[in-house]
Amino acid sequence: MTTYIIRRLLLLPVLLVGVTIIIFGMLQFLTPVERSALYIRDIPHGEHAIEGVITRYGLNDPLPVQYWHWLVGRTDPISGQVVGGILRGDLGYSRVGSQPVIDLIKQRFPATLELALWAVLPIIVVGIWLGVQAAVHHNEWFDQFARIFAIVGASFPTFVFGLLVLMIFYANLGWFPPGRISDATSQIISSPSFKTVTHLISIDALINGRFDVFLDVLRHLFLPVLTLSYISWATFLRVTRSSMLETLRQEYVTTARAKGVAERDVINKHARPNALIPVATLAGFQVVTLLGGVVITETVFDYPGIGSAAATAAAQLDVVTVLGFALFNGLILIVANLVVDVVYAFIDPRVRLQ
């Protein structure tokens, strides 16, 4: 097991370098003048200002030199200070956010993380439960209902379902508003008496003992979580059902039943653990999708996360911000893939022996 984890950890820096090379290669489609927008914070006054930025950051240097400077930074020949360098947190300047891209990510990521934490549990738990129950009650009424449920969920565009629940639960009933918090709650968390610890408002509300703030956050999270869950349940249901049906046909399951093992134990101890092996990979990438920002859901519900910021940047052709988010998502994907590989080895011992 230790050898397996070490091998995966050794691959991590290789994958990270690969992601940075891809992002850097995409930057090369831009001219040096266009790439200077990575570092320009104010409107340049004349061509000499842009030429100064190009010289300062070495945007006309050979590609290997440019890549190294983009990665670790470059010493400014005039001031002698190290400038640039994504490893130093310099991902460029966001025109949309009017701040460095790294600061925009820090500002928006807590909202996306909070949405992901509240959505991942119902997505995975309910999706797996539906798939297992559909397989156990194969061709019965529950299985037929689950299949229709999955087909409808897979066919529903996310923005259509989001707009539908907004129309029902907000426009007509006024129960669950869009956004992250209400104006009254915004004033509470901005007050000196409210201590910000995690930047996740729901958790900070519990830490501060403000259950009114906590309930307000849940009211705003309900519809985005419902939308993400319903669309994802369809995928989890189909994968879990298919894997569970295949597992239930295995000889060791038949042997367990022949020995008189209770059906509940056959399902929970013999069939389900093995059926969940392919589901573990799906769950891992679902987490990556949530943490990377669900663009459509955040945009529909006016939720101030990374996804909505990326959509705004793309709409305004803010290439620097979009590539910064792409690099951030690539990092999340690599780390999550490593975690999935380790979890996979715990679930299936055969992986450790490969």
Side-chain angles (χ1 to χ4, degrees):
M1 182 64 179
T2 304
T3 305
Y4 174 82
I5 295 177
I6 291 175
R7 288 205 308 266
R8 289 296 180 269
L9 288 174
L10 291 176
L11 281 175
L12 186 61
V14 178
L15 294 174
L16 289 173
V17 170
V19 169
T20 59
I21 290 175
I22 292 174
I23 299 297
F24 178 76
M26 295 173 68
L27 281 171
Q28 299 313 302
F29 287 103
L30 305 176
T31 65
V33 174
E34 292 170 331
R35 275 184 281 129
S36 67
L38 275 167
Y39 311 104
I40 295 177
R41 303 193 177 194
D42 299 316
I43 298 176
H45 300 286
E47 296 182 0
H48 295 292
I50 297 179
E51 289 297 330
V53 173
I54 294 174
T55 302
R56 185 183 188 196
Y57 291 93
L59 300 181
N60 279 324
D61 292 342
L63 285 182
V65 177
Q66 282 192 52
Y67 172 73
W68 180 252
H69 291 161
W70 177 74
L71 200 63
V72 301
R74 181 176 188 269
T75 302
D76 185 356
I78 299 177
S79 65
Q81 297 178 346
V82 179
V83 293
I86 61 171
L87 294 181
R88 301 175 60 250
D90 191 347
L91 303 181
Y93 192 79
S94 172
R95 190 176 69 250
V96 169
S98 299
Q99 59 184 321
V101 174
I102 189 65
D103 291 340
L104 181 60
I105 291 175
K106 290 178 181 178
Q107 178 185 347
R108 292 298 192 104
F109 183 66
T112 295
L113 177 60
E114 187 167 36
L115 175 60
L117 290 176
W118 281 99
V120 70
L121 194 61
I123 287 175
I124 295 177
V125 173
V126 176
I128 290 176
W129 181 83
L130 288 172
V132 170
Q133 295 303 314
V136 171
H137 301 90
H138 183 50
N139 286 334
E140 298 179 13
W141 72 267
F142 188 92
D143 186 30
Q144 303 296 341
F145 166 77
R147 280 191 278 185
I148 295 174
F149 182 86
I151 292 173
V152 174
S155 305
F156 240 128
T158 304
F159 73 93
V160 173
F161 186 81
L163 292 174
L164 179 64
V165 295
L166 263 180
M167 180 181 65
I168 296 173
F169 292 104
Y170 176 60
N172 292 337
L173 300 176
W175 290 352
F176 305 108
R180 190 181 184 190
I181 52 176
S182 63
D183 293 338
T185 299
S186 179
Q187 293 179 0
I188 293 174
I189 65 174
S190 300
S191 64
S193 60
F194 190 89
K195 297 180 180 178
T196 301
V197 180
T198 64
H199 294 281
L200 307 179
I201 301 177
S202 57
I203 297 177
D204 287 340
L206 294 177
I207 294 174
N208 285 269
R210 295 300 302 258
F211 294 100
D212 54 336
V213 174
F214 178 75
L215 292 176
D216 184 66
V217 173
L218 292 188
R219 285 180 65 233
H220 287 80
L221 281 172
F222 180 80
L223 292 184
V225 169
L226 176 63
T227 302
L228 291 172
S229 298
Y230 181 64
I231 302 301
S232 301
W233 283 337
T235 304
F236 272 89
L237 193 157
R238 287 182 297 168
V239 173
T240 305
R241 177 182 178 275
S242 176
S243 179
M244 192 71 179
L245 285 175
E246 182 179 352
T247 304
L248 289 173
R249 298 189 185 103
Q250 299 298 316
E251 293 182 357
Y252 65 86
V253 175
T254 305
T255 302
R257 284 172 171 162
K259 289 181 178 179
V261 178
E263 185 66 17
R264 177 179 297 179
D265 292 335
V266 171
I267 299 299
N268 295 332
K269 296 182 179 180
H270 294 271
R272 188 170 60 183
N274 291 296
L276 291 182
I277 292 175
V279 181
T281 303
L282 178 62
F285 285 105
Q286 180 65 53
V287 173
V288 172
T289 302
L290 293 173
L291 290 179
V294 277
V295 176
I296 296 177
T297 302
E298 290 185 0
T299 303
V300 168
F301 293 101
D302 193 26
Y303 193 82
I306 283 183
S308 60
T312 303
Q316 298 188 20
L317 299 179
D318 189 350
V319 178
V320 173
T321 304
V322 171
L323 291 180
F325 283 134
L327 185 62
F328 179 71
N329 287 347
L331 175 62
I332 292 177
L333 176 61
I334 291 172
V335 174
N337 191 52
L338 173 65
V339 174
V340 169
D341 285 344
V342 174
V343 172
Y344 214 87
F346 277 106
I347 296 176
D348 188 359
R350 293 172 298 180
V351 175
R352 293 174 249 171
L353 302 177
Q354 293 179 357

